[in-house]
Amino acid sequence: MVKMTDLPTKGGFSFDLCTRNQMLLDKGVQMPPFRKTGTTIVGLVFQDGVVLGADTRATEGPIVADKNCEKIHFMAPNIYCCGAGTAADTEAVTDMVSSQLQLHRYATGRESRVVTALTLLKSHLFSYQGHVSAALVLGGVDVTGPHLQTVYPHGSTDTLPFATMGSGSLAAMSVFESKYREGLTREEGIELVAEAICAGIFNDLGSGSNVDVCVITKGQTEYLRNYQLPNPRTYISSKGYSFVKGQTVFLEQLLLLVSKLVHVEAIFQLRVDEWQYRINWGLVPCLC
Amino acid sequence: MYKLIIKINVVGKLGRVWIAYMPTQLVWDKRFFVVFGQNASRCSKQVASPKSHGGEKLIRCLVIGSACSHSHPLPYLEKKKVYFLARSISLLSSLSFPLALSSPTNHLYSLAAMSIFEYNGSALVAMVGKNCFAIASDRRLGVQLQTVATDFQRVFKIHDRLYIGLSGLATDAQTMYQKLVFRHKLYQLREERDMKPQTFASLVSALLYEKRFGPFFCQPVIAGLGDNDEPFICTMDCLGAKELAKDFVVSGTASESLYGACESMYKPDMEPEELFETISQALLSSVDRDCLSGWGGYVLLVYAALLTPTEVQEKILKGRMD
């Protein structure tokens, strides 16, 4: 029975393999651990705009899968979103809403508003009842001013002056609760965010590596990737491992030449000359 | 003593089909297990014609996936029953992997302890060097603890400058590869050029995320040469969460050992020969510490530099065969 399942689908989820996977689950097979962003993500509102911060560790079970991943996703030139939870879900949801916002900008001809992004995110997450496991901190500056919102996997949202999410949220919130005040300057805001993320990095096992910061103000956005690197690799020796050529024993070898460079100009010129010579001497039958 | 047999369509040509029966006393339970591959109809004729073997008609059976892996003769059953079973083999041989698993239900006790990624076993690693990249895999295909093939291909070519390795459940890896080749061919027809590695990585990620709530149990490792001969490597989890690394990516049951080996052995900007040595040593030392992967290695090295043709080297490594 040939089904048209292999043609590119129109979009959305496909549930083809669910029956098979359910059968495997009933047999007692463990589902594999998905890559999560253990994470500490924070945001705060300062006097001119919004500062977002995130750590850079991605975990797969207890193993660190990526030591320097990007958790601050682009939504619009004036809106950025930090994501925690299942990595595939946060990336897919933020990419999808980012595309929808771009289309909306083309349709309206105006700068995107943070509430637009918020509504698109929460309606998508609510319709999947929390199974799309993405916890987001959305921040941006639009015509109505700076906004900072959190979105939970089930679709609820909060509007806050400072927010933390992820496994390291408690560590980061402790820093915010003691040091946050209204009307911070840009430098103070960045420093406070970096301190909160560092608290998450050093105290939470699911967060680690470096600090990413994103500062959004009216008309300008600055994405400071790897703003702080508090965990450098200092233990490696400068010499490293060096393997002698021929150390690895191999049984068979196949060498393929994929592309060949052939200089054709000279040959072509020769052919042209040869033809010219032949034409001149009447060796080529012509219609003239 | 029950014997467990699982269909191994993933291996490809088994060569011959054997019908397996239980020992005599259990025949009356009408339980039988079949191993099937290709050429089922040829076997039915073979089985139907009587063999003279010590006066008694014997049918040999190959038992796969159980504690004992030897073939032994069993008493002959009636011709009609044999023929019926041979017919059913050719029908059943088109069924997919889950059905074979579901027939002898009470024998899967050991599957419960394992994750689905540990069913077949795999090890994949890709590394970046100076204008070159290398992608390496092990060659074992197993069914839990039994090795079924020692030349299994895990690294596939998409086009001359783009390769993908797929670890995890072998059947899902092969299905995923077929889908990707299909999509790439459509892309080539529409765009009249090959896909860039970054685009391909997004395609793989989208295909995997589409199955978010019923995923393919495979983890791809993508390696290719992008614009200006820049090497590109990327891995994903089974849902399509991309990890773009600049140094190395690993995947498979041996991934934990591979992380450790690559972290210590990797150096930036290695020349192709050194890169080959490094990736081979990292792979071989990691699979030595993993029961489910190994049996040699396969390394593919692609090197491109200005004014020289793109070179592709495939090497099969000699490793421990246990």
Side-chain angles (χ1 to χ4, degrees), chain A residues 94-145:
Chain A
T94 49
D95 279 347
M96 184 191 77
V97 172
S98 166
S99 315
Q100 287 178 339
L101 284 176
Q102 177 78 62
L103 288 170
H104 193 248
R105 277 202 296 282
Y106 285 138
T108 57
R110 292 191 174 92
E111 195 184 50
S112 298
R113 298 196 187 187
V114 181
V115 288
T116 320
L118 183 74
T119 313
L120 289 167
L121 283 167
K122 72 196 283 186
S123 52
H124 178 82
L125 291 174
F126 178 74
S127 62
Y128 286 97
Q129 287 292 294
H131 289 284
V132 175
S133 167
L136 309 163
V137 169
L138 180 69
V141 178
D142 54 29
V143 287
T144 49

Side-chain angles (χ1 to χ4, degrees), chain A residues 6 9 14 20-21 32 35 65-67 89 131 233 241 246 248-249 251-256 258-259, chain B residues 112 117 172 182 209-212 214-215 219 237 241 243 263 267 277 309-310 312-316 318:
Chain A
D6 286 333
T9 49
S14 124
R20 174 197 80 158
N21 290 1
R35 187 167 302 151
D66 194 351
K67 290 191 286 185
D89 286 333
H131 289 284
R233 284 184 81 201
Y241 277 78
T248 313
V249 179
L251 299 171
E252 290 170 32
Q253 182 175 268
L254 196 67
L255 296 173
L256 304 166
V258 173
S259 62
Chain B
F117 283 124
D172 279 353
F182 172 74
Y209 192 70
E210 207 179 24
K211 304 260 185 281
R212 163 67 174 90
Q219 287 160 322
D237 71 342
E243 183 205 322
E263 278 278 3
K267 281 185 295 199
E277 297 292 336
T310 313
V312 175
Q313 289 179 25
E314 297 175 29
K315 291 192 181 141
I316 295 179
K318 181 175 170 189

